[in-house]
Amino acid sequence: MKAKVSPVRAFAPGVVLFFLFLWSVFRFDDIAMLLAPLAPGKRLFVERTSLAVLAGQHLVLSLGTTIASFALAFPLGVLAASSRSGAWSRLADRAGSFGETFPTVALMALLVPVVGYGASPVWLALTLYGVLPILRGTVTGLHGVPPGTIDSARGMGMTPSQLLRLVRLPLAMPHVLQGLRIGLVVNISAATVGAAVGAGGFGVPIVSGIRSFDTLLILKGSIPVALLALSADSLVRGGEKMMKVESARVRDTTTSFAYETAPHGSDASAT
């Protein structure tokens, strides 16, 4: 069994990065003073929305679309991995891959005439983009459960639903979280494109900075996005480490219980 991972060690880097993200949002003037010799601001645009409001818009957009992606991809991945043939898994993987063949900007532009200008096309596009990594992580994790562990659980008298809930899903969770981490980081980064269709977020200062050739304004949006993506990646990665320990515990417990309850050679000869 793997050594126990301390939650402090697992999540501390992500917490530090998240506080740096908050500092970049609420104290960006300090960063601007440090960067003034290299990137002086031009002040060609009047900032009507504070960086804190843009941060809230970006968080809602990226987290909301990732939750929607998980709500779609996780049950689909469980159903696909539970099918006896691999046809459903291949179909689900191809469907998710098809959604990622379209560039983000092009997909949003196609959705604007259908759902309108604003956050709606961004929600749909990012939800679609976040499905594939979560779907693949779920299917890979469930297919990666050792056959010996499954046989041991069946030998304990578990029903298929108990096997899925108590053994297969706990063992697959590190892969599921890995897919969730990839989808979340992708959505945090891609949400900046939403400013082009009026969705707000950190893309607003980036787009304004590109239009005015204002390096500081570009950094005003890109630095918080980078820190948010890094903190999200680190925090979910910490969850992966915790789940790997839990998965090892479930696997070892199932295997040892099956071994203890199985008839051994000496017992069989005695009977």
Side-chain angles (χ1 to χ4, degrees):
M1 183 179 293
K2 291 186 177 181
K4 185 177 180 180
V5 177
S6 170
V8 175
R9 292 187 60 185
F11 295 107
V15 173
V16 172
L17 286 168
F18 186 74
F19 276 106
L20 287 175
F21 159 72
L22 294 177
W23 176 68
S24 70
V25 170
F26 293 101
R27 302 291 297 178
F28 187 80
D29 290 341
D30 297 339
I31 300 177
M33 291 178 59
L34 295 174
L35 297 177
L38 301 174
K42 295 184 177 181
R43 302 290 183 181
L44 297 180
F45 285 89
V46 177
E47 299 178 17
R48 299 178 179 177
T49 307
S50 67
L51 197 58
V53 174
L54 296 177
Q57 294 173 350
H58 204 95
L59 282 170
V60 170
L61 192 61
S62 55
L63 292 178
T65 53
T66 303
I67 293 172
S69 298
F70 185 84
L72 289 173
F74 182 70
L76 184 60
V78 172
L79 290 175
S82 300
S83 62
R84 295 185 178 275
S85 65
W88 285 105
S89 296
R90 292 191 295 270
L91 179 62
D93 185 71
R94 289 173 183 172
S97 299
F98 179 76
E100 287 200 338
T101 57
F102 294 95
T104 310
V105 178
L107 184 57
M108 291 180 187
L110 291 173
L111 289 171
V112 166
V114 180
V115 299
Y117 194 77
S120 297
V122 184
W123 272 82
L124 291 175
L126 295 186
T127 298
L128 184 61
Y129 269 79
V131 164
L132 181 60
I134 300 172
L135 179 63
R136 281 180 173 169
T138 304
V139 174
T140 301
L142 290 173
H143 281 169
V145 177
T149 303
I150 295 177
D151 293 337
S152 299
R154 287 173 177 166
M156 295 166 60
M158 287 190 182
T159 63
S161 61
Q162 290 175 329
L163 178 62
L164 176 65
R165 179 169 50 88
L166 299 177
V167 178
R168 296 185 67 197
L169 282 179
L171 293 180
M173 282 310 296
H175 291 279
V176 176
L177 287 179
Q178 183 182 36
L180 179 65
R181 173 171 55 84
I182 295 172
L184 177 59
V185 172
V186 167
N187 282 355
I188 289 173
S189 303
T192 56
V193 184
V197 294
F202 290 125
V204 173
I206 294 175
V207 171
S208 299
I210 292 173
R211 290 175 178 174
S212 60
F213 299 97
D214 189 339
T215 304
L216 185 62
L217 198 54
I218 296 174
L219 292 175
K220 191 171 186 178
S222 58
I223 289 176
V225 167
L227 289 173
L228 179 60
L230 289 171
S231 65
D233 179 87
S234 183
L235 287 171
V236 181
R237 196 182 293 271
E240 290 178 43
K241 294 178 182 179
M242 301 293 292
M243 287 308 304
K244 284 180 181 178
V245 175
E246 178 64 18
S247 298
R249 185 192 66 79
V250 171
R251 183 178 61 250
D252 294 344
T253 301
T254 304
T255 304
S256 61
F257 183 85
Y259 176 79
E260 292 172 359
T261 56
H264 302 289
S266 57
D267 297 336
S269 60
T271 56

